Structures are given as C-alpha cells and as structure tokens.
C-alpha cells in the first residue's frame, strides 16, 4: 500500500535561522596605557590639541559602590590623536586637559550623566553633541549607545562591564578595553546622526538642546528621604520622622565613608525599623527586617536617632504630603479644579498626537512638569495674541527651549480656551435647566 503524500498541515515549517550577529567592535589602535603622571598627561594634551574635528568623551563612575558621583576614568578620542584613558584620581588638576579641549566640540552619549562629574574635575565644554538626545529627537525607539552603534554602524558592543566598581585600582585590562570602546566610534556615530538631523529638519532643535546642556547642573533633591523605597507602607507622622532621621544618619555615614548608602543598611531596613520604632540597640537588632553590612556596626547610632524621634513634638514631624511649589498630583485636579483637569486632558491628547506626527517622545516636545505648571496656573488673559505671548513668556521662564515653545504654545493656548468654552457652555446649560443638576467634572486621564 502506498502512503498518501503529507498534506500541507502535516508539514513542519522550517525553523527560521537566527539573524547573524553583527561584527564585534574592536579597538583599531590597540589599548593605550592609563594616563596617571603629569608627563603622560601633557603628552596627551599635546596630541589632542594637534588633532582635528570633535572630541569623543566618556567618563566612568562607581555608581552603586561609592557615595560620590566623581569620575574614576575619563576616555577621550580625536582624529589624529587616538584614544586616551585618563585617571583623574591621579591628578590634583586637569587644567592642561581643559586648555587642550578649549574650542572643541565634545561628543557625549547621555551628557547629563557625565557632565556633572567632568565639571567636578574642571572640564567644561564650549560646544557639545549628545548622541543619545539626538537619537531621541530622531525618534529612535532605543537610544542606548550599543543599540545605536549596531543600528547605524552595524557593529556590536560588549556591555558586560557597565556596572563594575571603577574606583578599583589597578583597573583590569578587560575593563579598560570596554571603556576605550565607548569612545571608539562616537565620532562616526555623531556624523551619521548629524546628517539625519539635517535631513529631517531637526538640526536646529538639536543645536538648541545641546546649547542648553552646556550649562546643565544636577538639581538638588528636596526631601530626598521621601524617595526611600517602601515609604508608602509607613503609617503615621512619627514613623515618617523615623524614616527621615534614619535616612539622614545613613546618608551622613555613607558620605563620610564614600560608599553608596544602601551598603550601610538597605531602604527595607529603614522602613522596618520605622514601623517598629525600637528604643534601644538590642530591640533594633531584633527587629525583623533590620539588616545590612552596617546594621550591627551602627545600631547604637540608629537607635539613638529613633529615641530622639520618639520624643519630638508633633509639629516637628514631617507631613505625609511633601511641601512643594508645584501643582497638585494630576489625579487630584478633577476634584480641586475641574476646568484645569479638562485643560490638562485636552493638552495631553494634543501633545501625544503632535509627538507622533513629529516622531518624538512626548516628554521631549515639552517637559511634563512645565505642561502641568502652566495648565494649573495659566495666564489670566484670554485675549488672542496677549494669551499667546503670556504662554510663551511663562514657558520660557520655566526653561523650555525655543523650538519646544513653538510646538507646544499653540496646543496649550487651544486647551486653555477650549476648556473655558466648555465650562461656560456647561454653566449656561445648568442655568437654563436648573433641574438638570450640576454637570460632572471631566475625568482626569492620568
């Protein structure tokens, strides 16, 4: 008997072969020695000053290991100068390097991460190009350095040393190779992205953003202890006071020892102690959840601040809601000011549509905090050009760039006027039909 040929549904589709891996990025000029003497630094500065074009720059910090945000390695690359790896810890001053870089364009990836630690050692750009921010302006869905290098240059980067302790000395060779590769193709990446910015008409937007970044500074956190993980589980002002007191003590110890605070005791230990409020060292160490490398070592000091909190007047204890000068949380707008809630809803919908049309992340069109602030406290005038001018002035005062204002101001003006018109219409309807009751406030879309 002859077997029937298999029917199409019996056939197993062939497995798709995985896409071949992109070629691994390697160092073209080999690994340079770490610069840690004055003589070597002057030689690097001379080479950089004699090079051409922009300078690719990166910095490595010891996040997760050290309290400080200082740079423990600075990588530089320029055409005609090659790559340099500078150990900033070895020098009391990097003024010669700043002088060599004067007048050059810096290429950084995620400039807001590296500029503070570079500024700390006296390095300030006269011009810069941020490849990550430019990628966002171009609408790339993923803008990590490795992703952009693979997408645009077809090369694959290893990222296995991204979270190591860069304060280690001496630095292992494979770590140094990883660090050098971070600037290996930044110049080529910058050129491709810059051309695409021109092609899409976004080069002026990028220039405004880069100029703004040159003066970037980290904003000091107000009530930073409120970022303690698990704070939402803490009940009562005295327990909140305990979190604040323990957080501040831990922060002081961490700063003195230059270790990340979580290595003293984790947030979970602070929350556990605040909930239990033990009054002595023994009871604190017996508290379930109070642990960490510094739990035993600093238990007496933590217990002492807990006793201080137990004796504090109620008025000196922190409130649940932080004090701030900004608007309330969006979810509270509908109850506090239904017209403002409607303004925000209309503006958010229009901003999302605008961002999609321009192939931008909506948060890059306008900082969300700026949008909330102006819609909670809009200009008083509603007269045509006066309202437009007032919105522009208000956004500029917040720090919005010109290109953002040009895109966002019409959206904001329309939202303000439409919400007012709807509210007026609703009031007229209610007056005309008193039995109809009060119209419901529009729902907040947060």
């Amino acid at each position: 008997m002859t077997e029937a040929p298999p029917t199409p549904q019996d056939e197993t589709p062939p497995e798709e072969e995985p896409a071949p891996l992109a070629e691994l990025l390697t160092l073209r000029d080999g690994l340079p020695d770490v610069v840690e003497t004055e003589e070597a630094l002057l030689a690097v500065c001379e080479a950089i000053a004699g090079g051409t074009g922009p300078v690719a720059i990166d910095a490595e910090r010891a996040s997760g290991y050290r309290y400080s945000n200082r740079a423990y390695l600075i990588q530089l690359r320029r055409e005609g100068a090659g790559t340099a790896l500078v150990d900033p810890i070895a020098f009391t001053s990097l003024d010669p390097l700043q002088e060599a870089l004067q007048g050059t364009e810096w290429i950084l990836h995620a400039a807001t991460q590296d500029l503070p630690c570079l500024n700390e050692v006296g390095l300030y750009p006269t011009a810069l190009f941020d490849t990550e921010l430019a990628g966002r302006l171009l609408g790339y869905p993923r803008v990590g350095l490795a992703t952009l290098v693979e997408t645009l240059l077809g090369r694959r980067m290893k990222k296995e040393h991204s979270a190591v302790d860069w304060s280690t000395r001496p630095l292992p060779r494979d770590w140094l190779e990883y660090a050098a590769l971070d600037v290996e193709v930044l110049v080529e990446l910058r050129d491709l992205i810059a051309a695409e910015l021109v092609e899409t008409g976004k080069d002026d937007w990028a220039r405004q953003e880069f100029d703004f970044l040159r003066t970037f500074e980290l904003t000091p956190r107000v009530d930073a202890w409120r970022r303690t993980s698990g704070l939402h589980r803490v009940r009562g002002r005295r327990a909140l006071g305990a979190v604040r007191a323990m957080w501040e003590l831990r922060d002081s110890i961490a700063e003195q020892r230059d270790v990340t605070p979580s290595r003293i005791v984790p947030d979970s230990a602070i929350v556990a102690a605040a909930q239990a409020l033990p009054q002595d060292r023994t009871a604190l160490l017996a508290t379930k959840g109070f642990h960490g490398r510094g739990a035993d070592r600093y238990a007496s000091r933590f217990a002492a601040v807990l006793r201080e909190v137990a004796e504090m007047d109620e008025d000196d204890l922190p409130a649940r809601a932080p004090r701030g000068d900004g608007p309330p949380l969006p979810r509270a707008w509908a109850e506090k000011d239904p017209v403002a809630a409607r303004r925000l809803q209309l503006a958010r919908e229009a901003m999302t549509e605008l961002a999609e049309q321009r192939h931008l992340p909506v948060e890059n069109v306008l900082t969300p905090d700026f949008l909330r602030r102006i819609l909670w406290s809009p200009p008083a005038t509603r007269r045509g050009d006066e309202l437009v001018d007032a919105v522009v002035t208000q956004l500029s005062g917040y720090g919005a760039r010109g290109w953002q204002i040009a895109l966002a101001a019409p959206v904001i003006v329309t939202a303000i006027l439409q919400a007012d018109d709807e509210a007026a219409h609703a009031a007229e309807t209610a007056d005309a039909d008193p039995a109809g009751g009060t119209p419901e406030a529009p729902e907040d879309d947060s």
Side-chain angles (χ1 to χ4, degrees):
M1 180 177 176
T2 304
E3 290 187 6
T7 58
Q9 60 265 31
D10 294 330
E11 294 179 359
T12 302
E15 292 185 7
E16 291 186 11
E17 294 186 9
L21 291 175
E23 183 182 353
L24 193 64
L25 181 65
T26 57
L27 297 173
R28 287 168 284 186
D29 308 324
L31 183 67
D33 293 333
V34 176
V35 176
E36 48 193 1
T37 67
E38 295 290 344
E39 182 181 6
L41 178 64
L42 292 176
V44 162
C45 292
E46 184 178 351
I48 289 175
T52 59
V55 182
I57 301 183
D58 190 31
E60 304 295 346
R61 301 172 305 282
S63 303
Y65 297 92
R66 297 290 180 178
Y67 181 90
S68 68
N69 192 45
R70 70 189 304 180
Y72 285 95
L73 187 71
I74 298 172
Q75 309 98 281
L76 308 101
R77 183 175 178 84
R78 191 181 195 189
E79 185 67 31
T83 296
L85 303 177
V86 177
D87 179 3
I89 308 302
F91 300 96
T92 56
S93 171
L94 290 179
D95 287 350
L97 183 56
Q98 171 65 16
E99 185 177 346
L101 292 169
Q102 196 67 33
T104 65
E105 176 191 86
W106 293 13
I107 309 171
L108 297 134
H109 188 82
T112 56
Q113 294 183 23
D114 290 336
L115 281 176
C117 68
L118 292 170
N119 294 165
E120 188 179 4
V121 294
L123 301 179
Y124 295 86
T126 50
L128 67 80
F129 189 104
D130 186 337
T131 49
E132 186 210 42
L133 179 53
R136 292 186 187 280
L137 294 178
L138 290 170
Y140 282 98
R142 297 172 59 201
V143 292
L145 179 59
T147 301
L148 288 178
V149 167
E150 187 162 351
T151 300
L152 297 177
L153 297 174
R155 307 295 289 276
R156 178 167 51 91
M157 298 180 71
K158 291 182 178 180
K159 301 302 290 183
E160 67 268 29
H161 300 307
S162 60
V164 298
D165 181 2
W166 289 95
S167 66
T168 301
R169 292 295 183 272
L171 287 165
R173 180 181 177 84
D174 54 339
W175 295 14
L176 294 171
E177 288 178 349
Y178 159 85
L181 286 169
D182 275 351
V183 294
E184 179 71 17
V185 290
L186 266 186
V187 174
E188 292 91 327
L189 185 64
R190 175 244 184 256
D191 290 345
L192 284 174
I193 290 177
E196 192 172 348
L197 286 169
V198 172
E199 203 176 293
T200 56
K202 296 179 177 179
D203 51 315
D204 186 56
W205 298 0
R207 181 191 57 75
Q208 292 180 43
E209 290 297 314
F210 300 158
D211 285 346
F212 178 77
L213 279 178
R214 287 197 304 111
T215 57
F216 171 80
E217 292 182 359
L218 288 173
T219 304
R221 289 181 177 176
V222 178
D223 285 350
W225 64 272
R226 290 186 182 274
R227 293 178 176 266
T228 303
S229 179
L231 186 67
H232 63 283
R233 299 197 302 271
V234 176
R235 297 289 180 267
R237 294 181 63 185
R238 200 160 301 277
L240 284 175
V243 172
R244 179 179 65 183
M246 294 185 70
W247 187 96
E248 289 175 349
L249 173 59
R250 181 186 67 173
D251 194 67
S252 174
I253 294 170
E255 182 177 18
Q256 184 179 16
R257 293 184 53 196
D258 193 18
V259 297
T260 192
S262 61
R263 288 179 173 255
I264 305 297
V265 292
D267 283 3
S268 59
I270 288 179
V271 169
Q275 290 172 318
L277 288 174
Q279 298 297 293
D280 58 61
R281 183 179 190 280
T282 301
L284 177 59
L285 289 173
T287 300
K288 184 178 180 181
F290 187 77
H291 64 281
R293 296 182 181 182
D296 183 73
R297 181 175 180 180
Y298 300 108
S300 295
R301 294 178 65 179
F302 282 117
V305 298
L306 287 173
R307 286 194 297 273
E308 291 174 6
V309 170
E311 298 170 0
M312 287 177 68
D313 291 337
E314 188 77 15
D315 291 344
D316 295 329
L317 295 170
R320 164 56 67 181
R323 297 182 180 90
D325 62 350
L329 294 173
R331 62 174 176 267
W333 285 31
E335 180 181 350
K336 294 176 180 292
D337 187 341
V339 179
R342 181 59 176 157
R343 284 195 294 263
L344 183 62
Q345 180 184 11
L346 291 168
R348 281 176 165 176
E349 291 170 354
M351 292 287 279
T352 299
E353 184 178 350
L354 177 63
E356 289 172 355
Q357 292 171 352
R358 300 291 182 139
H359 303 290
L360 289 167
V362 68
E363 63 272 14
N364 284 103
V365 178
L366 185 68
T367 303
D369 180 60
F370 297 170
L371 184 67
R372 289 191 294 269
R373 284 176 180 270
I374 196 167
L375 292 175
W376 181 255
S377 302
T381 182
R382 293 295 184 269
R383 296 181 58 183
D385 291 344
E386 287 184 10
L387 176 57
V388 174
D389 291 343
V391 166
V392 168
T393 300
Q394 202 164 326
L395 289 175
S396 180
Y398 295 150
R401 270 67 78 197
W403 73 272
Q404 294 177 313
I405 295 172
L407 290 178
V411 169
I412 291 168
V413 168
T414 299
I416 291 171
L417 295 176
Q418 184 175 337
D420 281 359
D421 287 346
E422 290 178 4
H425 179 71
E428 290 173 2
T429 303
D431 290 342
D433 182 17
T438 304
E440 293 183 5
E443 293 184 4
D444 175 57
D445 66 339
S446 63

